[in-house]
Amino acid sequence: MSGIVKRIVHYRNKAEGRGTNARAEKYLNQDYHELKRSCLGRGRLFEDELFEAEPASLGFKELGKHSAKTRGVTWMRPKELHSRPKFIVENATRTDICQGALGDCWLLAAIASLTLNKEVLYRVVPQDQSFDEEYAGIFHFEFWQFGQWVDVVVDDRLPAKNGELLFVHSEEGSEFWSALLEKAYAKLNGCYEALSGGSTTEGFEDFTGGIAENHDLQRPHPHLFKIIKKALDRGSLLGCSIDITSMNDQEAVTSQKLVKGHAYSVTGADELEYRGDTVQLIRIRNPWGQVEWNGSWSDSSYEWRSVSDDDRERLRSLKEDGEFWMSFSDFLRQYSRLEICNLTPDALTSGEYKKWAETEFEETWRRGVSAGGCRNFPNSFWMNPQFVIKLEDVDDDPNDGEDVCTFIVGLMQKNKRKMRKMGDDLETIGFAIYELPSEFSGQTQVHLKKNFFLHNASAARSETFINMRELCNRISLPPGEYLIVPSTFEPNKNGDFYLRVFSEKPADFMEIDDPVDCNIKPIEVDEEDISKNFQKLFQNLAGRDLEISVYELQRILNTVISKKKQQNRIKFDSFSLATCHNMINLLDKDGSGKLGMVEFKILWTKIENFLRLYKERDTDDSGCMSSSEMRVAVEAAGFRLNNPLHQVIVARYSEPDLSIDFDNFVSCLIRLESLFNAFNELDKDGSGVITLDMRQWLSLTIL
C-alpha cells in the first residue's frame, strides 16, 4: 500500500508546482541553505550523511570496496588538493572537464556542451558558490529527473589517489565545479560506478529537461535540414561528431581540419543564392575556439566571392574563433551523427524562440497487469498502458506539401541507472501508434482490448526496440486521433516509465483507461421460491440453529467444490477461512455473523455462477486463471477496473507464476462486491465521494 500512497503524494506535489523549473524539489529532503547556515553557525564543514565518503559511494563492482581501482583512495577537500581552489574561474569552459578513471565520457561531453550555453549552465550550476565567502564545505546542483527538477546537495570531499582527483578534474587543477557536479550526479544515481557507460543525450536531458533526438547522418531524415532550422528557431541544443574507428583516431585532425571523436556544436543554418542555385549551409563551432574546416564555404574559401554582398556581410566571418560554415551536403559526408536536444517551454526565457508544446505522463509496467510486451505477444499486448493524442493543427511549413502534424515521442525508463548495483538493468523498450476508431473519439474511460489490435495495423511505431534509457522518435501524421502504446519487448517486465510528447502545435494528450464501476444484478430469492430439496439440504447442513457459521461454511464448501473440481477440471485446494469470512460479510444482513437459508441460497447461486465463469474464461484450459484471463473474467463478472486496481488484484490474489486458483478467484469477486456495496451505502448523494474519520476508515478496511 505504501507504493500507492507514495504515488498519490507525488502527484499532489506536482499539482502544487513542486519540482518545476522554477521550484526544484529538495533531493532527499536536504535543504542547501538551511544546512549551510547550520554549518556556518557551528563553525564546522558539512559532511553528507546521505552520500558518505566511503567505498559504497564509489561503486559496487569495478569500483567496489576491494577492487584494485579503489585501493588507496582517500577523500579530500579542494583546499587539501590545491592552495587556492576556485569553484569557477571566470567563465566555465570545456577545458574545465578532463576525464578521470571512470567511463563517463558521455556525461563529460554533455557537460562540455553545457558550457556553450550559459543560461542552461547556470541553471544546473548555481553561481553563488565559492571556496572563499561563507565557505562551509557544501555545494548544490540542479538536475532534471523524469519530469521534475531536483536540487542535490553534496559535501566537497572528493575521491583522490596520490593527492590527485580520481575522476573528473580541470585541466589546470584549481577549478572544481565539474568535479563537484559529477559527485552530485553520482549521488543522484546511487554511486560513481553507476555513471559508467551511457549516451550524451542522457546528460543533455538531465541538464535541460529537454527531449533528445539522435540522427544517423549516413541515413539522414529526408527533411533533416528543415528539422535543424526549426530546432535552432526553438532554442534547441545541437551537437555533432565524427565517429572514430580506433582509439588512435580520438581527436585526430583530418586534412580538412575536422577533429574526429570530438563534440561540435551546430549554431546556425541558412540558405543563399550561389551561381543561380540555392545552397543550404550549416554553421558549426569547435569548442576549442580554433581549428576550423578549410573546405568549401570555410572562412576564406572562394565560394563567398560568388554570393551577394548582403549574404556575404550577413554570414561570413574571418575570425579564427572555431566557428565556420560548410555546405549541408559536406556536413552529411563529413560528420557521422547529429544530436538535437529540444528544450521544454519553461527552459526558454527569451521571447525570440518558438516553443514546443509539451505533455507528459508517468506510468508503470507491472507483470501480469500492464506489462504486455510488444505486438509479438497478442494475448497480452492490449494490457499495456494506452494514451491518446489528438492532432488538429497542421505544421506551418509541411514537408512535400502534405498537411501533417509533427510531434516527438520520448519513452524513458525510470531509475534504472540507480538500480544497477542491485543487478537491475535496462529493459528493451519501444512503442506503437494506432489510428483511434471514430467510435472512441473523445473518450477517456476505455481501454482497447485484444480484438482491436488483432485487426488493426499500426499507423507508426518506434524505429526499433532498444535497451536505452530513452527511445525518442520524430513522427508526422495527418490530423486525427491516435493511440500510443508504450511497451517492453517481452511481457511481464516490471518497470516505471515516463512518456512525453513534444508537438509543433498544441495537441491534446491523455491517458485512457477503463472506468471504475460495478454493474452486478442482485440475486433476488424469496423463501417460498426455494425448493423443498434445498430446504432439506440446508436443514441438514445448518443444524439445530438453522444458521451456517463461518467454520461450517468452510467445511461445506470445501466438501462440495472438491467433488466438482475433477469434473470441471479446475485448480482448487480449499477455501480459506478468510474467503469464507468475506462471503458471510457480503450476505449477512442481520449482523449475526452467520447465514440463514435465503442468504445461503444466494451465496450458493453466486458460487455456481463463479464456477461457470471461471471455466469459460480459462481459455487455455489450464484449470486456473492467468492474470490476463482474470482481467477479462473480472469484467465479465460485472466489474470495470482500471490498471492500478488490476495491479492490486494481481499482487493480492495471484501465485508467484501469476496464476489464480478458484479460491482466490472467488475471494477477489466477493471482496470487490463488498467494497462497492460499502461505498455505495456511504455515498448518499451519489457524488462518487465519501468522507470517513479514522475509526470508520479502520473499521471498513479491517472488515
Side-chain angles (χ1 to χ4, degrees):
M1 184 66 84
S2 60
I4 298 171
V5 173
K6 187 176 179 181
R7 193 172 179 186
I8 292 171
V9 171
H10 170 70
Y11 281 118
R12 283 183 178 173
N13 289 343
K14 227 172 171 183
E16 293 171 2
R18 292 168 62 176
T20 60
N21 191 297
R23 188 184 170 194
E25 187 79 15
K26 296 174 180 63
Y27 185 64
L28 301 179
N29 293 317
Q30 289 179 299
D31 187 306
Y32 166 73
H33 297 288
E34 285 185 9
L35 290 169
K36 184 175 181 178
R37 276 195 298 269
S38 174
C39 289
L40 291 171
R42 292 181 294 129
R44 297 182 60 181
L45 296 180
F46 178 61
E47 294 186 1
D48 189 0
E49 296 179 353
L50 300 183
F51 195 63
E52 295 188 285
E54 60 178 26
S57 297
L58 292 175
F60 49 90
K61 191 176 180 182
E62 291 186 9
L63 295 177
K65 186 174 182 179
H66 302 295
S67 73
K69 289 185 178 181
T70 59
R71 197 171 298 132
V73 169
T74 57
W75 296 77
M76 302 175 69
R77 295 187 188 268
K79 289 193 174 185
E80 299 171 309
L81 291 161
H82 197 278
S83 59
R84 298 183 65 185
K86 297 292 182 183
F87 185 63
I88 293 182
V89 178
E90 296 178 1
N91 288 315
T93 66
R94 63 169 295 282
T95 59
D96 302 340
I97 305 140
C98 298
Q99 188 173 355
L102 185 62
D104 62 348
C105 59
W106 62 275
L107 175 63
L108 309 192
I111 297 174
S113 294
L114 259 188
T115 65
L116 304 178
N117 187 318
K118 301 307 179 189
E119 181 182 358
V120 175
L121 171 69
Y122 295 131
R123 176 72 180 79
V124 177
V125 186
Q127 291 180 273
D128 58 342
Q129 307 183 83
S130 77
F131 293 101
D132 302 317
E133 189 176 343
E134 294 192 327
Y135 168 69
I138 183 171
F139 294 85
H140 70 129
F141 301 86
E142 295 194 354
F143 303 105
W144 180 90
Q145 285 285 282
F146 315 116
Q148 69 171 355
W149 283 91
V150 292
D151 188 87
V152 181
V153 170
V154 289
D155 63 35
D156 63 352
R157 296 176 295 175
L158 297 166
K161 209 169 188 179
N162 301 321
E164 295 183 351
L165 287 178
L166 185 62
F167 302 130
V168 166
H169 53 279
S170 67
E171 189 171 59
E172 48 80 43
S174 66
E175 200 165 14
F176 287 90
W177 72 270
S178 57
L180 291 165
L181 172 65
E182 182 188 44
K183 180 174 183 178
Y185 200 62
K187 176 180 177 178
L188 187 65
N189 286 283
C191 64
Y192 276 94
E193 189 172 352
L195 306 184
S196 182
S199 164
T200 303
T201 55
E202 186 173 337
F204 270 161
E205 292 178 338
D206 288 351
F207 297 150
T208 66
I211 189 168
E213 305 173 71
N214 274 297
H215 291 270
D216 181 351
L217 299 183
Q218 308 310 306
R219 296 180 299 163
H221 189 286
H223 304 289
L224 183 58
F225 185 77
K226 183 181 288 187
I227 289 171
I228 291 172
K229 284 202 71 173
K230 285 188 173 183
L232 291 165
D233 289 342
R234 296 178 187 276
S236 305
L237 303 180
L238 286 81
C240 58
S241 60
I242 302 170
D243 286 348
I244 61 173
T245 54
S246 71
M247 288 308 297
N248 293 330
D249 280 348
Q250 185 67 44
E251 299 208 332
V253 180
T254 70
S255 60
Q256 293 181 301
K257 294 297 182 71
L258 296 178
V259 186
K260 294 184 177 181
H262 179 59
Y264 286 83
S265 298
V266 176
T267 60
D270 215 314
E271 294 178 285
L272 48 71
E273 291 298 317
Y274 174 69
R275 294 181 176 178
D277 290 325
T278 299
V279 176
Q280 296 174 331
L281 299 180
I282 294 287
R283 188 175 65 206
I284 298 169
R285 184 177 187 274
N286 183 344
W288 288 351
Q290 54 186 350
V291 186
E292 297 182 9
W293 160 254
N294 60 15
S296 300
W297 298 102
S298 59
D299 287 0
S300 56
S301 72
Y302 71 87
E303 283 86 2
W304 292 107
R305 302 172 194 167
S306 302
V307 301
S308 69
D309 293 342
D310 287 344
D311 282 340
R312 190 183 310 112
E313 180 69 23
R314 182 169 59 90
L315 301 178
R316 190 187 189 192
S317 170
L318 295 175
K319 295 178 182 177
E320 178 67 16
D321 56 2
E323 194 164 63
F324 54 87
W325 289 95
M326 68 192 313
S327 69
F328 183 60
S329 56
D330 276 339
F331 173 69
L332 295 179
R333 276 193 294 270
Q334 298 292 336
Y335 285 87
S336 307
R337 58 194 66 258
L338 170 73
E339 295 168 337
I340 302 175
C341 184
N342 303 282
L343 300 185
T344 56
D346 61 358
L348 297 168
T349 56
S350 172
E352 66 180 280
Y353 296 118
K354 296 180 181 179
K355 298 182 180 181
W356 290 96
E358 180 199 13
T359 318
E360 59 187 34
F361 279 99
E362 294 177 75
E363 255 302 344
T364 61
W365 292 301
R366 287 294 177 264
R367 62 190 299 262
V369 181
S370 56
C374 69
R375 273 289 300 266
N376 296 351
F377 303 91
N379 289 330
S380 57
F381 176 72
W382 64 275
M383 297 170 68
N384 286 301
Q386 299 176 9
F387 304 84
V388 166
I389 183 170
K390 186 176 183 179
L391 306 170
E392 294 182 305
D393 298 326
V394 300
D395 299 348
D396 289 331
D397 50 349
N399 299 322
D400 301 327
E402 295 181 11
D403 285 339
V404 295
C405 307
T406 296
F407 58 102
I408 300 171
V409 179
L411 174 61
M412 181 182 291
Q413 307 181 61
K414 293 178 63 177
N415 302 315
K416 289 292 187 177
R417 188 174 290 278
K418 186 183 294 186
M419 299 299 291
R420 280 170 64 175
K421 59 184 176 183
M422 273 76 87
D424 197 3
D425 211 344
L426 292 166
E427 300 295 346
T428 303
I429 59 171
F431 61 84
I433 301 178
Y434 297 82
E435 190 170 359
L436 190 71
S438 57
E439 62 264 31
F440 298 119
S441 176
Q443 297 185 39
T444 59
Q445 295 194 325
V446 58
H447 188 100
L448 274 67
K449 302 299 190 291
K450 176 181 174 180
N451 280 343
F452 170 80
F453 297 104
L454 286 177
H455 298 102
N456 290 274
S458 60
R461 58 181 181 271
S462 55
E463 292 177 3
T464 183
F465 274 73
I466 193 167
N467 60 337
M468 292 180 64
R469 184 179 80 155
E470 183 173 49
L471 174 75
C472 177
N473 284 148
R474 179 180 292 258
I475 309 287
S476 293
L477 290 171
E481 288 187 82
Y482 296 91
L483 184 75
I484 303 177
V485 185
S487 72
T488 55
F489 184 78
E490 294 181 336
N492 294 325
K493 299 291 185 180
N494 285 335
D496 299 329
F497 69 87
Y498 177 69
L499 179 69
R500 51 190 174 157
V501 171
F502 278 34
S503 52
E504 288 204 2
K505 296 292 184 70
D508 290 332
F509 186 48
M510 58 190 176
E511 183 174 6
I512 61 173
D513 204 349
D514 285 329
V516 177
D517 193 15
C518 174
N519 185 26
I520 295 180
K521 295 179 181 178
I523 299 173
E524 303 289 347
V525 175
D526 291 326
E527 191 168 339
E528 55 268 23
D529 296 332
I530 300 175
S531 69
K532 297 294 184 183
N533 286 339
F534 191 89
Q535 291 183 32
K536 187 175 181 180
L537 173 65
F538 176 77
Q539 291 166 4
N540 291 336
L541 295 172
R544 294 173 59 185
D545 64 350
L546 294 180
E547 287 194 310
I548 293 177
S549 69
V550 66
Y551 301 101
E552 291 170 327
L553 181 63
Q554 184 184 35
R555 175 175 47 80
I556 293 165
L557 293 181
N558 285 343
T559 301
V560 175
I561 301 300
S562 292
K563 292 177 181 177
K564 288 181 173 288
K565 76 174 184 179
Q566 294 298 330
Q567 65 189 70
N568 287 280
R569 295 176 63 186
I570 62 171
K571 183 180 178 181
F572 174 80
D573 292 326
S574 64
F575 282 123
S576 67
L577 200 61
T579 299
C580 294
H581 270 300
N582 286 336
M583 293 176 182
I584 289 179
N585 289 335
L586 175 66
L587 296 167
D588 178 22
K589 302 301 182 186
D590 56 10
S592 66
K594 297 181 179 182
L595 297 181
M597 183 171 64
V598 172
E599 294 164 336
F600 182 70
K601 175 61 176 176
I602 294 172
L603 175 62
W604 186 249
T605 304
K606 282 184 176 294
I607 290 175
E608 287 184 319
N609 290 338
F610 293 156
L611 193 60
R612 174 184 52 78
L613 183 61
Y614 188 85
K615 184 62 181 170
E616 287 177 354
R617 301 300 169 177
D618 176 19
T619 54
D620 60 359
D621 205 27
S622 63
C624 60
M625 290 269 120
S626 67
S627 55
S628 58
E629 291 169 340
M630 179 68 174
R631 184 164 180 160
V632 175
V634 165
E635 186 168 326
F639 303 101
R640 298 187 71 187
L641 307 178
N642 59 18
N643 261 344
L645 288 174
H646 282 295
Q647 184 176 321
V648 173
I649 285 175
V650 170
R652 168 65 181 81
Y653 294 103
S654 71
E655 301 296 327
D657 64 354
L658 300 179
S659 66
I660 299 164
D661 63 14
F662 188 63
D663 169 38
N664 279 315
F665 177 73
V666 172
S667 181
C668 173
L669 297 185
I670 291 289
R671 182 70 174 145
L672 280 172
E673 188 174 351
S674 296
L675 289 170
F676 273 104
N677 287 349
F679 185 91
N680 291 333
E681 192 71 27
L682 294 167
D683 184 20
K684 299 297 185 183
D685 58 359
S687 65
V689 177
I690 62 174
T691 302
L692 302 173
D693 60 28
M694 179 64 77
R695 181 186 58 80
Q696 293 168 327
W697 162 254
L698 290 173
S699 298
L700 180 61
T701 52
I702 289 173
L703 181 64

